[in-house]
Amino acid sequence: MHPVTSIIAVVGSATLLVACTEQGADTRPETLPATSATPGELTLQVRSANGISAQRLIAGEQAGSLVISSEGIQLLDSDDKPAATALPGYYDALAVHQDAAGLIAASHDLQRDQPVVLRWNAAGVAAAPEYLPSTGYPLEDLCFYQDQSNHDYLFLIGEEGLGQQWLIGEQGATSRLVRNLHLPVGAKGCAVNTALGALFISEEGIGIWQYAAHPETDSTRSIVDLVQPWGTLPEGPEGLAATDDGLLALDTGSNSLHRYRWQNQQWQHDSWQLTEGSKPEQLSARAVDDTLQVLITDDNGVQLLTELTGVTRPANTDSLPEVLALSQTQPVPHGGDAADDPAIWPHPSIPELARVLGTDKRGGLGVYDLQGHELQYLPVGRINNVDLRKGFTLGDQTIDLAVASNRDRNSLELFAIDPASGRVTGLGDLPTELTDIYGLCMAQSPQGVVYAIPNDKDGRFIQYRLDGSSGQITAKAVRQFKTDTQPEGCVADDARQTLFIGEEGVGIWTLSSAEDQPTELAEVARVSELLHDDVEGMAVYQHQERPYLIVSSQGNDSYVVFDALPPYAAHGAFRIGLNAGQGIDGVSETDGLEVSSADFGAAWPGGLLVVQDGRKRLPEGNQNFKLVPWQPIAELLQLP
């Protein structure tokens, strides 16, 4: 960036623009020639040397300006005169964002070496500045993002391949680190396209990368464009600006402007040569109807204004309604892909004393209360799925029995749950005939016979009848059935003697859970636009009028609800979003889940859904389980 600069952001009801100008440059009122991939589409005009009038031309006469100058961050009035100094000091970057609550700005305080967030409410009243912790590495750029639920985030882009995503608190609330980012070492600029949910990063000498902006995503990236000869950029991108239909980029070394539009699932590219001898540095853009207004600032502070036509906002086909978790468990003790499957144990007389059992497939079983506190951890090995049934006879006593699939020994891991206190005790394990045990569920007949039904990665299911009358639990295989490809999730509807099983890449099947019935599989649902592979966790909600089947549609981080009776009509899908007020992150990559319609107290009207969270954010950490009340789900999907 030029050593003597003023960075200007227009504020007001219009889209906010940012530009960089050198103070004291001369105005050159002339039209500049340009070449275009679409002849006649691009016309560049010099509008101002100090940048203020050009900014106001784009933003409208009602807008003021936010300026970085030698005085600090300043507010300009409607006549472009300094009205107040919002924050004195020295700064080298500026991002602005406007939402329903007011205006948010972010910059980098060079003296403190800290990012700073400024807020103004809708009436223009400023809040105290909020300083974020120093990143510990040099910052190159920062940019805002707003998700579909109107949560505001700030990306901090560092030059050493590191970055951060922060959840920006509303006025009076503290911002919180959501996740750390791993970016190109030569990252220079960033821009966010909200419609595409895309974070764009320019890498010096390499090209432009696209990342998912939503925090409940991984850090995989895709190429937008590379430098020649691998791509179409002559030398390398510098400034970036998001547009409604894609992205604009400045190639500083070649004095060219590049436009990328996302159409038909691919990037359409156009480019134009700018004025010979100029060196474009900063770029801003906004859409007015179907026209894109673009502001370019070169290294001499001259601002160039142009318009591009044919702006089409891409449809957001991935938007689903959200519910919120009210609590979350402590993270499992092992890192990586560890937490997997929960089970819910309702207390027989005190709803608030219910327990959640959660597997840690790298070490054991956790036991949690409804506030998410870990009460017990049983280090019994790599257990994958867990289920439970009440009223199991073990010798001369009655226990509640939990069974899990143990991948260390291809066995059934057994646990006794004290019916009065909910305390869990290990009972050892029983061998199975499976060679690569994976998922598991339990079933109970009308006569009280309890079954454990584990499956193998090769598609085999074995139904074991469990008997504890002798005081020792035994398991007898009573039938087998098979899917063509890998299964995992399964659940039994004991009231109707029905078993549902999930074939991860194919769909959902059903058959009777009775040991003497045929094992032919009947189709419930196939992988589709609604149900995405992998088909993972499954559970049955016992409504008084009809049962519902809830399935983890892992491929798009959602949950699909079906009738659990033929013809298995689908009621729709939902996601579990960020609960900013409680500091609970959203949910993604869910493996296992469980649901219950039992009474869990006033905080859980209608019952409880527990899901495994594959990506722990806010802050990042080991995986855990999220607890969601059923009533908001029923209201969202208009379930009886």
Side-chain angles (χ1 to χ4, degrees):
M1 184 171 291
H2 198 279
V4 182
T5 63
S6 65
I7 301 177
I8 302 176
V10 177
V11 302
S13 60
T15 300
L16 304 172
L17 304 173
V18 178
C20 172
T21 64
E22 182 181 1
Q23 297 173 333
D26 294 330
T27 301
R28 300 183 299 176
E30 58 179 303
T31 298
L32 302 179
T35 60
S36 171
T38 308
E41 182 179 357
L42 185 67
T43 301
L44 289 173
Q45 293 183 326
V46 176
R47 294 297 188 185
S48 173
N50 62 18
I52 295 174
S53 62
Q55 289 278 357
R56 293 185 52 72
L57 177 64
I58 288 184
E61 289 301 319
Q62 78 281 4
S65 301
L66 192 65
V67 180
I68 289 183
S69 70
S70 59
E71 302 297 323
I73 300 178
Q74 288 189 306
L75 290 168
L76 304 184
D77 61 20
S78 57
D79 295 323
D80 299 327
K81 296 179 181 179
T85 298
L87 198 62
Y90 299 95
Y91 305 89
D92 69 348
L94 181 64
V96 288
H97 169 65
Q98 193 160 15
D99 61 13
L103 177 72
I104 308 173
S107 189
H108 179 215
D109 188 319
L110 295 172
Q111 291 174 301
R112 298 176 58 154
D113 190 26
Q114 288 179 256
V116 60
V117 178
L118 302 174
R119 301 175 181 86
W120 292 263
N121 64 20
V125 178
E130 179 189 10
Y131 284 90
L132 306 183
S134 174
T135 59
Y137 45 81
L139 288 180
E140 287 291 330
D141 202 4
L142 36 77
C143 50
F144 283 104
Y145 161 62
Q146 187 176 77
D147 68 14
Q148 72 173 61
S149 299
N150 298 322
H151 297 119
D152 294 318
Y153 300 89
L154 178 66
F155 287 102
L156 305 177
I157 307 303
E159 70 173 12
E160 298 178 357
L162 299 173
Q164 296 177 349
Q165 184 175 8
W166 284 76
L167 173 66
I168 301 302
E170 297 179 357
Q171 291 203 17
T174 302
S175 298
R176 287 169 288 189
L177 178 64
V178 175
R179 60 171 172 162
N180 291 292
L181 304 172
H182 300 281
L183 303 170
V185 173
K188 284 295 182 183
C190 69
V192 176
N193 185 304
T194 300
L196 296 174
L199 167 67
F200 299 104
I201 300 292
S202 60
E203 182 180 6
E204 187 175 26
I206 300 296
I208 304 170
W209 298 96
Q210 178 180 340
Y211 296 78
H214 198 280
E216 292 295 337
T217 53
D218 59 27
S219 57
T220 56
R221 62 181 180 175
S222 59
I223 295 170
V224 177
D225 202 358
L226 297 173
V227 298
Q228 298 174 358
W230 301 280
T232 62
L233 288 166
E235 296 191 29
E238 186 74 21
L240 299 179
T243 65
D244 279 358
D245 54 1
L247 179 73
L248 293 175
L250 286 174
D251 190 297
T252 303
S254 65
N255 298 332
S256 56
L257 175 66
H258 298 259
R259 181 184 188 183
Y260 301 92
R261 287 181 284 183
W262 185 247
Q263 297 178 344
N264 301 319
Q265 300 302 304
Q266 61 182 349
W267 289 110
Q268 303 292 330
H269 174 249
D270 297 294
S271 64
W272 302 270
Q273 193 67 38
L274 304 180
T275 306
E276 184 177 354
S278 67
K279 185 181 179 182
E281 288 191 340
Q282 297 291 321
L283 179 66
S284 301
R286 77 158 188 167
V288 179
D289 298 325
D290 64 347
T291 299
L292 187 67
Q293 296 183 337
V294 184
L295 186 68
I296 304 169
T297 306
D298 70 9
D299 60 339
N300 291 316
V302 176
Q303 299 204 331
L304 312 174
L305 179 68
T306 188
E307 291 188 346
L308 303 176
T309 59
V311 177
T312 303
R313 186 182 181 90
N316 187 353
T317 59
D318 194 41
S319 178
L320 287 174
E322 295 181 343
V323 297
L324 306 181
L326 289 189
S327 66
Q328 61 180 336
T329 68
Q330 292 175 244
V332 297
H334 293 87
D337 185 18
D340 193 278
D341 186 51
I344 302 172
W345 179 82
H347 191 278
S349 59
I350 307 175
E352 293 79 9
L353 294 185
R355 299 288 183 258
V356 172
L357 281 59
T359 65
D360 171 6
K361 58 191 176 189
R362 296 193 174 191
L365 180 74
V367 182
Y368 310 91
D369 63 20
L370 296 183
Q371 291 72 49
H373 304 121
E374 182 185 279
L375 305 177
Q376 293 179 258
Y377 185 82
L378 291 80
V380 295
R382 295 187 304 132
I383 59 174
N384 202 75
N385 286 48
V386 63
D387 203 354
L388 63 86
R389 287 296 184 273
K390 291 195 167 191
F392 183 79
T393 300
L394 182 60
D396 58 359
Q397 60 179 321
T398 298
I399 65 170
D400 296 338
L401 179 67
V403 182
S405 52
N406 190 316
R407 297 177 70 179
D408 284 334
R409 297 182 290 276
N410 287 311
S411 62
L412 303 177
E413 193 72 35
L414 308 174
F415 304 91
I417 306 173
D418 187 302
S421 68
R423 183 163 183 80
V424 179
T425 305
L427 297 176
D429 68 325
L430 298 172
T432 72
E433 302 168 37
L434 302 176
T435 57
D436 195 0
I437 198 170
Y438 200 39
L440 175 143
C441 60
M442 296 179 70
Q444 192 167 17
S445 74
Q447 295 76 34
V449 178
V450 174
Y451 302 92
I453 310 170
N455 60 57
D456 194 288
K457 283 190 173 183
D458 65 7
R460 285 183 297 154
F461 288 75
I462 302 179
Q463 185 166 347
Y464 289 93
R465 184 196 307 139
L466 304 180
D467 185 359
S469 57
S470 67
Q472 298 291 325
I473 300 178
T474 61
K476 179 181 179 180
V478 294
R479 68 171 183 168
Q480 295 191 28
F481 50 92
K482 192 176 188 301
T483 57
D484 292 336
T485 61
Q486 180 172 305
E488 181 179 4
C490 66
V491 63
D493 178 359
D494 291 341
R496 297 159 187 84
Q497 290 291 280
T498 303
L499 185 66
F500 297 95
I501 63 175
E503 189 173 0
E504 290 192 353
V506 177
I508 305 166
W509 306 93
T510 187
L511 70 161
S512 171
S513 61
E515 65 176 80
D516 59 351
Q517 292 300 303
T519 57
E520 182 179 354
L521 303 180
E523 181 179 319
V524 174
R526 290 272 182 170
V527 167
S528 62
E529 292 185 1
L530 180 67
L531 180 66
H532 291 233
D533 60 354
D534 288 341
V535 177
E536 290 280 347
M538 309 174 70
V540 173
Y541 180 87
Q542 295 290 353
H543 188 272
Q544 59 184 359
E545 296 181 9
R546 71 184 79 175
Y548 296 111
L549 175 66
I550 299 91
V551 182
S552 169
S553 174
Q554 193 181 72
N556 71 337
D557 300 325
S558 70
Y559 310 88
V560 184
V561 177
F562 299 91
D563 281 335
L565 294 172
Y568 310 112
H571 290 275
F574 64 94
R575 292 191 171 108
I576 301 173
L578 166 70
N579 186 336
Q582 297 292 327
I584 302 174
D585 62 308
V587 181
S588 54
E589 284 279 312
T590 289
D591 287 326
L593 58 79
E594 183 59 283
V595 70
S596 174
S597 58
D599 179 11
F600 296 96
W604 311 97
L608 172 65
L609 171 68
V610 181
V611 303
Q612 180 259 6
D613 185 5
R615 298 188 184 98
K616 174 67 176 68
R617 310 295 199 205
L618 199 67
E620 291 173 298
N622 292 350
Q623 295 175 343
N624 69 352
F625 299 90
K626 301 296 197 290
L627 284 68
V628 183
W630 177 258
Q631 183 173 305
I633 299 170
E635 293 174 352
L636 189 71
L637 300 181
Q638 299 181 342
L639 303 176

